[in-house]
């Protein structure tokens, strides 16, 4: 899910970096002071959770929880995702310094769509949760495939990325269970 | 907890360790930008970039085994991404002619070299400076204030949650000895939910503590950062050499001049009294 530096077209990468910095500035305006610790600490938790290996379908996956970030932080999730990706690039070298932009736009779009789904109060809650988790992976994968395609990788990249559908399904189930756990223990988080 | 992979060698002493953190960040960022902007399939300049990076890594006194291990752990991912290029074209029958197949392989190799050298530059940056000092450097480079604040909070609580993840993993394993056969995803999800829940509750306490100490959205550091002349000279010379290779690669004279400039800049940061202006003006 993380594009490293040098993998996609430089112009696209640089433009995405500029756009993501602009988005961080825009989404960071008028953030209430009491939201900031929540954003920082949730970011730390998301970083750590992405390091847990979950056995799935004979292999193991790293949950991204981008859908969950959308549910918990809503439209404020973008600066948190940007910072988590910056940390992942610097500490673990997952992704790259220049490609923090394209990665945060992809994953931020996933979190944003997950938030939009979560807000559809007419749908059953657990369905919304599972769909938000699923979409939180599917949207970034589609955008990532688009970025690769625009960089000259050809249409075949879509076939290669279709394996992510299993990760998206697992993420949907994980998000559903996490929401279920919150509903049982501390439902005000899901307000 | 063990977190030896973060700034493990930042306390070593080398001229490059003593550079201002902003110089290290800018050098890595623009160095990567210049390298990845090479046209697809152009391979010769990477020999020079690789050589420059090798000098940088050796001058930083970073243990080769550490660099090799870190690189080998991450190289399969970039190798896979580079292999995607010819494979994706082949899947949709976009590579028919032999000449085009050869070109596709050259492009794949250039993608691998770009990603590999960018990775090495990133490893260098994180290894020659303490992580929190790099964060302060980013803030001084006008990183958005919100991201700066989130970063400091994240860094402070990363280890707390990592400990919590280890603790809950141990608890889960002790309650379910052997391999989990049922409800795997549910068990793991509950563990994650618990960590998220703890983080949420902790954020409220933290906010109250921050307000009590007069927090108004900005963190301060006691460590003074000041750009010195030699820091700026090193950065400018390094990037000029990279730009020179990017724009005029192929000329032996240019490469020789670049190497000369690089040697002079290394002298400048090693020996503070070294006068840079005279040798540079001769070329």
């Amino acid at each position: 899910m993380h594009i490293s530096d040098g993998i996609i077209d430089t112009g696209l990468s640089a433009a995405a970096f500029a756009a993501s910095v602009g988005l961080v500035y825009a989404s960071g305006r008028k953030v209430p002071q009491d939201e900031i610790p929540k954003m920082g600490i949730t970011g730390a938790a998301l970083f750590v959770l992405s390091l847990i290996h979950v056995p799935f379908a004979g292999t193991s996956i790293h949950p991204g929880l981008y859908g969950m970030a959308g549910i918990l932080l809503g439209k404020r999730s973008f600066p948190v995702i940007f910072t988590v990706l910056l940390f992942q690039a610097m500490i673990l070298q997952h992704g790259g310094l220049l490609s923090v932009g394209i990665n945060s736009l992809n994953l931020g779009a996933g979190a944003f769509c997950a938030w939009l789904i979560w807000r559809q109060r007419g749908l059953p809650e657990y369905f919304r949760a599972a769909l938000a988790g699923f979409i939180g992976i599917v949207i970034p994968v589609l955008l990532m495939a688009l970025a690769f395609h625009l960089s000259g990788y050809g249409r075949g990249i879509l076939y290669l990325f279709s394996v992510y559908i299993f990760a998206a399904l697992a993420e949907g189930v994980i998000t559903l269970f996490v929401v279920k756990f919150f509903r049982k223990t501390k439902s005000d988080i899901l307000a | 907890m063990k977190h030896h992979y973060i700034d493990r060698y930042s306390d070593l002493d080398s001229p490059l360790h003593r550079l201002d953190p902003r110089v290290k960040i800018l050098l890595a960022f623009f160095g990567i930008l210049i390298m990845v902007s090479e046209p697809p399939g152009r391979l010769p300049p990477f020999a020079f970039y690789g050589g420059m990076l090798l000098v940088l890594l050796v001058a930083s006194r970073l243990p080769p085994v550490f660099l090799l291990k870190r690189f080998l752990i991450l190289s399969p991912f970039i190798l896979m991404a580079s292999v995607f290029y010819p494979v994706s074209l082949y899947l949709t029958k976009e590579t028919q002619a032999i000449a085009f197949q050869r070109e596709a392989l050259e492009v794949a190799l250039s993608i691998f070299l770009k990603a590999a050298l960018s990775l090495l530059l990133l490893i260098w940056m994180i290894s020659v400076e303490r992580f929190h000092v790099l964060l302060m450097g980013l803030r001084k480079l006008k990183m958005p204030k919100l991201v700066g604040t989130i970063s400091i909070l994240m860094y402070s609580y990363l280890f707390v949650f990592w400990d919590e993840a280890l603790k809950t993993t141990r608890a889960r394993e002790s309650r379910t000895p052997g391999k989990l056969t049922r409800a795997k995803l549910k068990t793991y999800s509950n563990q994650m939910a618990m960590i998220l829940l703890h983080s949420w509750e902790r954020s409220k306490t933290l906010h109250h503590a921050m307000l009590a100490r007069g927090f108004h959205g900005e963190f301060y550091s006691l460590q003074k950062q000041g750009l010195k002349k030699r820091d700026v000279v090193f950065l400018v010379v390094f990037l000029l050499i990279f730009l020179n290779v990017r724009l005029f690669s192929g000329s032996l004279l240019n490469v020789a001049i670049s190497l000369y400039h690089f040697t002079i800049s290394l002298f400048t940061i090693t020996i503070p009294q070294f006068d840079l202006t005279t040798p540079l003006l001769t070329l």
Side-chain angles (χ1 to χ4, degrees), chain A residues 47 51 85-94, chain B residues 3 5-7 70 74 122 126 131 154-155 158-159:
Chain A
F47 180 92
L51 298 176
L85 289 169
L86 186 68
F87 269 55
Q88 286 181 340
M90 286 169 74
I91 296 175
L92 308 169
Q93 288 88 46
H94 291 176
Chain B
H3 51 88
Y5 48 84
I6 303 178
D7 54 26
R70 199 80 205 116
L74 296 156
L122 197 56
I126 194 71
F131 190 73
M154 261 184 77
Y155 188 57
L158 213 57
F159 307 113

Side-chain angles (χ1 to χ4, degrees), chain B residues 87-143:
Chain B
V87 172
S88 66
L89 292 177
Y90 180 76
L91 278 173
T92 44
K93 310 281 182 226
E94 288 166 69
T95 49
Q96 296 295 333
I98 298 289
F100 193 68
Q101 282 178 14
R102 185 189 159 86
E103 196 185 305
L105 285 175
E106 278 175 5
V107 172
L109 185 59
S110 75
I111 290 171
F112 177 77
L113 289 170
K114 282 178 190 181
L117 296 182
S118 304
L119 180 66
L120 279 174
L121 200 48
L122 197 56
I123 295 174
W124 170 81
M125 184 190 82
I126 194 71
S127 303
V128 292
E129 189 58 271
R130 276 167 292 163
F131 190 73
H132 74 274
V133 179
L134 279 179
L135 290 180
M136 290 294 178
L138 278 171
R139 185 73 190 103
K140 290 218 165 176
L141 287 170
K142 303 290 172 205
M143 175 171 73

